[in-house]
Amino acid sequence: MEKRTQGLIHLYCGDGKGKTTAAAGLAARMAGAGGRVIFAQFYKDGTSCEVKALAGLGVAAMNCKTVPGRFSRMDEAARCRAKEDYGRFLLSVFALSGQADLLVLDEIVSACNHGTVEEGRLLRFLQQKPAGLEVVLTGRDPSDRLMALADYVTRMEKVRHPFDRGVAARRGIEF
C-alpha cells in the first residue's frame, strides 16, 4: 500500500448502535486495501465477533487483558487498577501506531469520560501522531476538545433499540 501523507481523525459517537461496527467496517476496508490496522479496545475483553472476523483479515486486535468489562460494574479498587493498567496499555498502543496505517481506539471516549485514560494524553498523541496515520475514536459523549480535533464526526442516534424492551445483547448483532 502506498504511504499516506495525510492521516485524519474519525470520531464515531452518540447513544445509538453502530460505533464499533462502523470502526470495524473501516478496519476491514483498510485491511482489504493492503493497509496495516491496529484495533485497540477499551472496556471489552477481546471476545466480540468483530475481533475474530478482523483477525482473519490480518488486523492486530488488542485489549487490556487485566481490565475487561464495564466501568459501572467495577469497585473502587478495580477502577484504580484500570486507570494504571489502561495508562500502560495506551502507551503500548501509541508505541505500535507508527507501524499502522489505521489505528482504531474503540471506546476510548468512554475511557476518557470515566478517567481511566487521561484525555490530555490522548489529545497530545492525536496532535503529534504520525502524519499518515488515520485514527478512529469511538464512544459516547465526546468532549468539546475531541470534537474540535476530529476531521470526521459521525453521530449515531438511537431512535429505537430492543434493549429498551428487555432484549439482551445478542452475539453476532451487538457483540
Side-chain angles (χ1 to χ4, degrees), residues 31-95:
R36 297 161 300 170
V37 181
I38 296 172
F39 198 92
Q41 292 188 302
F42 297 80
Y43 298 130
K44 296 180 178 177
D45 65 5
T47 62
S48 58
C49 295
E50 68 270 6
V51 171
K52 181 179 180 182
L54 290 171
L57 297 174
V59 171
M62 302 173 66
N63 71 311
C64 188
K65 303 285 186 225
T66 61
V67 193
R70 299 178 60 92
F71 183 81
S72 62
R73 295 183 184 149
M74 295 179 190
D75 61 22
E76 193 56 37
R79 289 178 179 181
C80 288
R81 188 173 56 253
K83 186 172 184 173
E84 292 172 11
D85 291 351
Y86 274 145
R88 285 190 295 274
F89 174 65
L90 188 62
L91 289 177
S92 69
V93 170
F94 289 166

